[in-house]
Structures are given as structure tokens and as C-alpha cells.
Amino acid sequence: MNRKTIATVGAAAAASLALTACGGGDASSGSEEPDGPVTISLAGWDFASTPEFETLATAYEEQNEDVTVELTEYPAGEEYDTALTADLAAGTAPDVFIVKNLKNYVTFQEGGTLLDISDVAAELDPATGGLEAMAVDGATYAVPYRQDSWLLYYNKALFDQAGVDHPDGSWTWDDYADAAAELTDGIGEDDVTGAYLHSWQSTVQGFALAQTEGATLDSGDFGFLAPYYERQLAMQDEGSQPTYATVTTNELAYQSQFGTQKSAMVTMGSWYIGTLVAEQASGDADEFEWGLAPAPQFDESTTGTDNTPVTFGDPTTMGINAGIDDAKVATAKDFLKFAAGPEGAAALAEIGITPALIDDTVADTVFALDGVPQDDLSRFAYTTHETLPENPVGADTAAIQTILGDLHSAVMSESDPVDDAIADAQERAANEVG
Amino acid sequence: MATPVVDNPGALGLPYSDPPQRRAPRTSLKLRNALVGWTFVLPNFAGFAVLTLIPVLLLFYYSLTNWNIFGNADWVGLDNYARLIGDKSFHVALGNTFYYAAFHIPLTIAASLGLALLLNQKLRGAAFFRTVAFFPYVTSIVAVAVVWNMLFSPEYGPINQFIGLFVGGELPGWTVSKDWAMPAVIIVGTWRYMGYYMLLFLAGLQTVPAELHEAARIDGASVWQRFWNVTLPCLRPTMFFVTVMVTIESFKVFDLILVMTEGGPGQATLVLSQYIWQKGFEQFELGYASSVAVVLFLICIGVTVVQFLYNKRRDA
């Protein structure tokens, strides 16, 4: 079946090359303001549960009466990239689209599907999270409108029950592991653990890559992962978090683990703030007091509230289809400037989404939402951090992440010792990449 | 063959009832039948050509390029195939594909034949059990994976709790163990497909003449002897068909592994079809993925041809 799918997509793409070829070259030159009404289309996913696209479109339309932003729905998850890629290859993709997974950004850019929008990037606030990382050979092809960062979520009630001090922003990963063990003992209930580690590779690798000095993916040296994995394995061995085996075979969800008080702590992206608030309101999650803290750090050099904690998170970015009609380019660029700028940020904050540009207005809006913790550390954690990408822009990122994904499942399932798995991944990277 | 066409037989002075007079309309009837036949076949064939034949031909072409979906499909000759030779992940996927097939094919045939023999008896509720056996085949693969993953859970799963009653020591880690993930997938694969092949065998069993069994019984043949010497030879056409189908199905296994283990832990259950997906749709190396697909295609064709030749030799 795959064989057929590949070839079918191939046929479609081949047939449409002629159609798309003309769009790529000189579209960026069209920058005059259009006279009449303009309609631009925007690709997003799963509108029922992802309101951010409609929020941005509506907010922009309110300011620009002549413009209609038409939404085109794609499937959610990994399917988004596959479906959008097929449409891009066929020349039928919308004018503006979300570059959802940073690891595929280079593929889109090298494939000539993205318009050079360096002029838009130059006008954005340099503090916009993830903006710098989008530069490829001095040019920018997509701008971040949303930037989630990974934080520590903790259940204040369970901490108090176990008699463990709340996080104070000074935690290294060792402090986190100690707290998890103390919590597990202190709570003393069979099915409640101090921490929860979700099955994704990023829960370990994202922090390791961001917090280790000099660590890169394309160096082919993955030794920096070792201390992170050893700590997580020790934690699952001593029972202070559910094992990877339990998480995967029982399909545990981080929302229910933390939301129904089965785990006292979880590290997760900032998108979970909105989800948790909504789930507590709807009754899907228990009512309990929770707080945010900075992600635990590699060592003490970045801990404390007088420091900037280092964490990770990929920006979600927006680019312009290189095949766009010349007459629409100016409008599309203006829309991007809006979405990635302070006005878009304010609109997103109102629905609990973390925009790429976090200013005081955004923080005030988010912390004014009902159910969001009001303590100082939560606000500090949300507003102050250096967020490094989980998928640094690079031609080989997608291939390396596949290899590291295999490493993650081999190590966390305790099928392979950490060092063997790292050696194997390094050998594969040398063999398969570049 | 030249057939005399007689437009007006009467003009030749031939009586109307003569054969040549009939032969003429028969030829045009044949042509008309053929045309009608082709017309009926055409939609199906057009579908086959557009959705299967042309894509397969394109597949061969793309396997000789470095196509990455967005345009530039430069001709690279046999480079992709040369790369396959040194690609360790490809070797792993190839090995795992044969590992799966080597156990899935005989197990599925044995299980489905056994089920068919059992449910071919005139038992009360046989129809119900046939439905039960067929059910996994029509159940959503995601639901199947979720339930089986829970059953296989090394710590809390009922399977290990059951095994633990009889044997001590370390129990299998199943889907989260490098050594046990493939056996787990094979068990589920066999369970899922045996009901479908059971139906084929049940149909085949209806063609076994009752009088042969009767005669064998009178001659004093045991149940086993009757199965071996009467049932099995009569089932040969069905057995051949099932073997070919189950072989192709097992080499193409994809969804089951994707939802159960995603090829892991590590690369323990990575199979060719999944490797094609990974290279093609996760890393957008469609040229290279095409070359892997060509290999899978050739394996399927090769194994099928061997089976046909073997079957033909036995027929002869």
C-alpha cells in the first residue's frame, strides 16, 4: 500500500510541477498595497480543538475590513505535514501555512515552497521567541507566532500532603529526582508517584540538548544524553515515576496522570496551562491547587530566580506559500506581521496559547485567566527563560531525530544499556546521515 | 484464421440453413461479446492502471532519482541501490521482515486450518464461533493495539500474571523488550488474520467429497490418516491460495506494527514497509524510499513466483 501511495503522490507531484514552477521565483517583488478586497487562505489543523487559527484570522479581519482570511483544515498530528506536503507538491496548498514541525522546515525551504520573508522578520521584535533560529543562510522563510516552553507543573496539595517543600526555582535535576522520591514515599499511596515522565523522546532529550553546554545534534556525538537517561532510569527503577513500559503499554496520558493527581509533578510544555485550566473547569481533571516552576536545570549555574533558566521548546511558525498569487503577497506578509507581533500575541494569550512574543500584556492576560496559579514563581517560570529549539534548523534534523527516537525507546524500555544505545545511535548517524 | 464472410448467402445460392451462413453472425457475435466484455472490464482495468500499474512503473523510475517530493528529481542511476547495500537500518528492516514472515506464515496457516477443521463440525453454535474467530479481522487496528498492549503489559498485564502462575523468574517484557517485541507482534498478527483465512479454508472444506471420507472410514483409516490422505490433498488449491495471500500480507505488514510498537524498542520491530514510510514521509527522501519499495516489491513477486512454480510442478 505504501508503495502505491508513494507512487501516487509522485504522479500527482510530477503532473503539477509545471503548475508550481512559475510561482516560486519572483513573487516576493509584489509588495504594493492591493486596492480591492483580498482573500488569503491559511492552513491549520483540527479547528474544533485548536482555536488559535480562527482567533488570529478573526482578530486580523477586524482590523482589516478588506481582507478575508479563509481557513483550510488539515488533519492534526504527524498527518498534517504529510497532507500539506502533498498539497504543496501538487501546487494546491493555501497561501499561508503553519510550519508545524521545525524538523521539516529545511525540507520546505530547500524545496522552494516558502517565500523569503526576511523583510517581515526584520520588523518583528527581536525578543520574539525562536525568531533567530529560523534564519537559513541569512534569510528567513517562516516567523514564529507561538512558542511553547517546557516548565515544571506541580501539585501543591500533594506536596503538602507529603510534607515536601514546594519548588523555589533553585532545582537541578538531582533536586527534582530527590523530591520525586520523597513525594512517592510521603504520599504513600500505591498508585501515586512523585513524578511522571511521558513517553516522548523530547521529555529527556529536549532538556539534555538545551541545557548541555556545546551539545548539538549534527555533531553526531550524543554522549550528552547519558546523565539525563541515567537519572530517569534510576527514577523509574526506584518507583518514583511510572516505568516507560507502563506508560506505553497502558497508553497513559500526562493530562490524566497529573490532572487526576496520580503524579505530583510533570514536566510539560506551556500549552498544558490552557489544557489543565480547561480540564479543571470541565471536571475532566480534579480540583486541586497547582503551580508552575522553571524546568529543573543541569547544574546550579542557571538556577534561582535571579538567573534565566534554560529550557526547550520549538516555535510554531508561519510561512507564505511560494506559489501565492503576486497580488496577495503584501496582504499575506501583513498578516504574518500581525500574527507574530504584539497584537497577535495578545489575541492568542486570551485563549491560553503561549505566543512567541511574551510581554507584560501577554503575561497579564494569561495570569488573569480563571484557574491559573497566581504565585510569583509561576509567573517567573512563565515569563523568564531561555528557550532553545528541540529541533534545531538543519538539513539532517529529521533523520537524526528518528535515530534518537529509537535510542529513546531502547534505553527507556531498558532493552539496551545507555552507553551501548548511544554508541549505536552515533554509528547510525555516521552511517545514515549526511 | 480466415473465416469466409458471406454478406448475402442467398446470392451464392446456398441454402439458408447451411453452416457458413451461421458462421458469419457467430463471428460478429464473438466480436460483439468481446467488446461488451472489454467494456465491462474497462472501468476496473482503468482503475488498476491508474492506481496500481502506472504508480508501480513510476516507482521504478523514482527509485533511480533523488526525488525529495518538491521538484528536483535528478537521475542518480543505481546510487540508491548502492546505498541500500551499506545501509544498516535497511538490513535490520529486511531481517525483521523475514523474521515476521517466517513465523507469521506457518502459524497463521496452522491456526486458521485448525480453526476451520474445528468449526466445520456440525456443532451447536458453530456459526457463532466462526463469527467470533472472524471478528479480529474487521476490528479497528488501533483498538486491537490498545487492548493487546494492555494485555502484554509486563508489570500489570494479565498475560504475564498468568505466565507467572506457572514459571518463576523474569517474565517477558513483550512490546517493551527488544527480544520479545517481535514475538508479541507475531502473536497479534496471527490472531488478527486467522479468522479471515479460516473462512477460506472453510470454503475449501466444502469441496472435499464426503464419499472419500466415507470410503476411507470403511477402510479403517484413523482420523489423522483421513486428514492427511483425504482432506489435505483435496484442500491443495485452497492451501495454495492461502499461502500466497498470507505470504504477501506478511511481507507487507505495516499498520499492526506501527500502532503496537512503532518499530521499537530501538529498531526491534522495524520492517521494510515502515522503513519506506520513515524515509519517504518522515524524512521526505522519496527516491530512496522508492528503492526500498522496489526491493519489497521484488521480494513479494519473487516469493509468489516460486510458489506458483512449485505448485505447477506438483500439479504436473
Side-chain angles (χ1 to χ4, degrees):
Chain A
M1 191 207 127
N2 291 306
R3 189 173 66 229
K4 285 182 200 163
T5 318
I6 291 172
T8 314
V9 174
S16 62
L17 285 181
L19 295 173
T20 51
C22 56
D26 52 8
S28 56
S29 61
S31 52
E32 313 89 52
E33 287 299 320
D35 302 329
V38 182
T39 300
I40 53 170
S41 51
L42 166 68
W45 60 87
D46 192 11
F47 297 152
S49 61
T50 320
E52 64 199 63
F53 313 113
E54 206 184 329
T55 302
L56 288 174
T58 313
Y60 185 72
E61 283 170 352
E62 275 169 12
Q63 288 194 8
N64 300 272
E65 285 175 357
D66 269 0
V67 181
T68 309
V69 181
E70 205 176 71
L71 299 179
T72 311
E73 187 167 16
Y74 280 85
E78 295 281 324
E79 291 284 292
Y80 172 80
D81 275 345
T82 313
L84 179 72
T85 302
D87 276 1
L88 281 169
T92 56
D95 302 325
V96 177
F97 61 89
I98 313 297
V99 181
K100 187 182 183 198
N101 293 306
L102 208 51
K103 65 181 179 182
N104 294 327
Y105 173 54
V106 172
T107 309
F108 288 146
Q109 184 266 324
E110 281 184 349
T113 65
L114 287 164
L115 210 62
D116 183 342
I117 50 168
S118 305
D119 50 345
V120 176
E123 286 183 48
L124 293 176
D125 189 330
T128 307
L131 180 60
E132 237 178 80
M134 303 308 291
V136 183
D137 299 331
T140 304
Y141 299 85
V143 290
Y145 70 97
R146 173 177 170 177
Q147 161 94 69
D148 287 295
S149 300
W150 281 59
L151 306 163
L152 177 68
Y153 295 75
Y154 67 100
N155 182 323
K156 291 181 178 173
L158 286 178
F159 267 73
D160 295 342
Q161 186 186 330
V164 177
D165 291 339
H166 294 190
D168 56 3
S170 71
W171 281 13
T172 63
W173 284 101
D174 289 333
D175 299 324
Y176 167 80
D178 291 344
E182 270 182 70
L183 284 160
T184 311
D185 285 348
I187 298 164
E189 286 171 37
D190 270 356
D191 59 343
V192 180
T193 52
Y196 175 74
L197 183 78
H198 201 51
S199 58
W200 302 330
Q201 71 195 88
S202 48
T203 58
V204 184
Q205 296 177 2
F207 291 116
L209 180 65
Q211 296 177 347
T212 311
E213 187 91 37
T216 60
L217 290 186
D218 54 13
S219 65
D221 177 0
F222 307 133
F224 64 90
L225 296 170
Y228 283 82
Y229 274 113
E230 275 153 14
R231 190 179 302 107
Q232 296 296 349
L233 288 173
M235 285 176 72
Q236 79 175 18
D237 283 347
E238 67 193 19
S240 51
Q241 65 189 13
T243 62
Y244 177 81
T246 303
V247 175
T248 52
T249 55
N250 292 353
E251 314 239 345
L252 296 188
Y254 63 87
Q255 297 95 332
S256 56
Q257 281 296 303
F258 189 74
T260 60
Q261 311 194 70
K262 295 273 182 280
S263 300
M265 298 188 286
V266 65
T267 48
M268 193 45 66
S270 45
W271 64 80
Y272 184 44
I273 297 174
T275 311
L276 185 52
V277 166
E279 289 193 340
Q280 284 196 324
S282 71
D284 288 338
D286 296 349
E287 281 288 338
F288 58 88
E289 216 188 319
W290 53 280
L292 297 169
Q297 299 293 300
F298 180 66
D299 59 29
E300 281 166 7
S301 67
T302 48
T303 60
T305 45
D306 50 352
N307 246 319
T308 305
V310 180
T311 187
F312 78 97
D314 279 348
T316 311
T317 67
M318 221 182 254
I320 300 178
N321 185 350
I324 190 174
D325 187 339
D326 277 1
K328 296 180 178 179
V329 171
T331 311
K333 284 185 174 178
D334 194 52
F335 175 68
L336 257 59
K337 231 180 290 172
F338 170 87
E343 292 153 311
L348 290 171
E350 274 173 35
I351 55 166
I353 301 276
T354 309
L357 183 66
I358 299 182
D359 51 19
D360 285 340
T361 322
V362 167
D364 288 344
T365 313
V366 168
F367 282 88
L369 293 174
D370 227 12
V372 174
Q374 298 299 319
D375 59 284
D376 290 344
L377 189 67
S378 292
R379 195 173 166 113
F380 171 80
Y382 184 77
T383 52
T384 315
H385 38 67
E386 184 188 357
T387 305
L388 295 172
E390 176 192 356
N391 292 288
V393 170
D396 299 326
T397 302
I400 292 169
Q401 290 293 21
T402 302
I403 295 171
L404 292 181
D406 292 338
L407 177 151
H408 180 75
S409 63
V411 169
M412 290 308 294
S413 67
E414 303 189 32
S415 291
D416 283 341
V418 179
D419 293 340
D420 288 8
I422 289 176
D424 187 46
Q426 289 178 171
E427 195 188 326
R428 276 184 65 194
N431 178 251
E432 294 171 26
V433 179
Chain B
M1 190 183 88
T3 311
V5 178
V6 184
D7 287 324
N8 183 358
L12 296 173
L14 297 167
Y16 279 91
S17 57
D18 262 16
Q21 185 214 10
R22 272 192 210 142
R23 219 178 281 150
R26 201 182 291 160
T27 308
S28 73
L29 184 69
K30 210 167 146 188
L31 184 70
R32 215 168 60 216
N33 275 346
L35 279 177
V36 170
W38 279 110
T39 315
F40 276 114
V41 168
L42 192 66
N44 209 353
F45 183 77
F48 167 76
V50 172
L51 298 174
T52 306
L53 189 63
I54 296 173
V56 167
L57 294 177
L58 278 172
L59 171 76
F60 280 90
Y61 168 73
Y62 283 123
S63 76
L64 302 170
T65 70
N66 66 356
W67 186 43
N68 69 353
I69 204 163
F70 296 121
N72 40 345
D74 295 330
W75 185 263
V76 295
L78 294 174
D79 281 8
N80 286 333
Y81 293 94
R83 188 175 149 197
L84 280 181
I85 295 170
D87 181 348
K88 284 189 186 147
S89 293
F90 169 71
H91 299 168
V92 169
L94 190 66
N96 284 341
T97 306
F98 275 95
Y99 179 4
Y100 180 84
F103 286 89
H104 177 69
I105 298 169
L107 279 174
T108 306
I109 292 174
S112 54
L113 180 58
L115 267 180
L117 290 170
L118 203 66
L119 296 175
N120 197 38
Q121 316 287 324
K122 289 188 179 58
L123 295 172
R124 188 192 291 250
F128 170 74
F129 287 110
R130 281 178 205 168
T131 313
V132 168
F134 186 67
F135 211 63
Y137 183 71
V138 289
T139 305
S140 146
I141 191 87
V142 177
V144 165
V146 169
V147 172
W148 274 97
N149 273 348
M150 284 184 178
L151 295 176
F152 276 132
S153 176
E155 290 158 73
Y156 308 109
I159 293 178
N160 270 6
Q161 289 185 355
F162 179 75
I163 297 174
L165 296 177
F166 303 100
V167 291
E170 200 165 322
L171 295 170
W174 298 114
T175 53
V176 279
S177 144
K178 257 191 164 170
D179 298 330
W180 287 98
M182 193 54 105
V185 171
I186 291 168
I187 289 170
V188 180
T190 304
W191 169 84
R192 180 169 161 80
Y193 287 103
M194 66 184 181
Y196 173 70
Y197 296 111
M198 171 201 75
L199 276 195
L200 299 182
F201 276 124
L202 274 174
L205 284 173
Q206 309 307 313
T207 66
V208 180
E211 55 268 28
L212 282 183
H213 269 287
E214 198 58 36
R217 198 176 293 137
I218 290 167
D219 288 344
S222 68
V223 173
W224 174 249
Q225 281 171 324
R226 270 183 282 138
F227 168 71
W228 194 252
N229 295 311
V230 179
T231 311
L232 214 49
C234 290
L235 273 181
R236 262 200 54 215
T238 313
M239 182 66 89
F240 173 64
F241 179 69
V242 167
T243 311
V244 170
M245 295 305 287
V246 85
T247 304
I248 295 175
E249 172 243 299
S250 66
F251 277 108
K252 292 197 313 182
V253 62
F254 175 69
D255 48 3
L256 183 71
I257 289 183
L258 186 77
V259 292
M260 276 189 74
T261 63
E262 288 183 66
Q267 293 182 301
T269 51
L270 179 76
V271 287
L272 283 178
S273 55
Q274 216 186 344
Y275 192 55
I276 294 167
W277 173 265
Q278 234 174 47
K279 284 288 165 196
F281 295 106
E282 285 181 1
Q283 298 165 22
F284 299 113
E285 287 191 59
L286 279 128
Y288 189 57
S290 300
S291 69
V292 183
V294 165
V295 171
L296 180 58
F297 178 79
L298 293 177
I299 291 172
C300 288
I301 289 279
V303 173
T304 311
V305 166
V306 167
Q307 285 170 332
F308 265 93
L309 289 178
Y310 179 70
N311 191 50
K312 213 168 157 188
R313 211 184 62 195
R314 289 202 34 192
D315 273 342

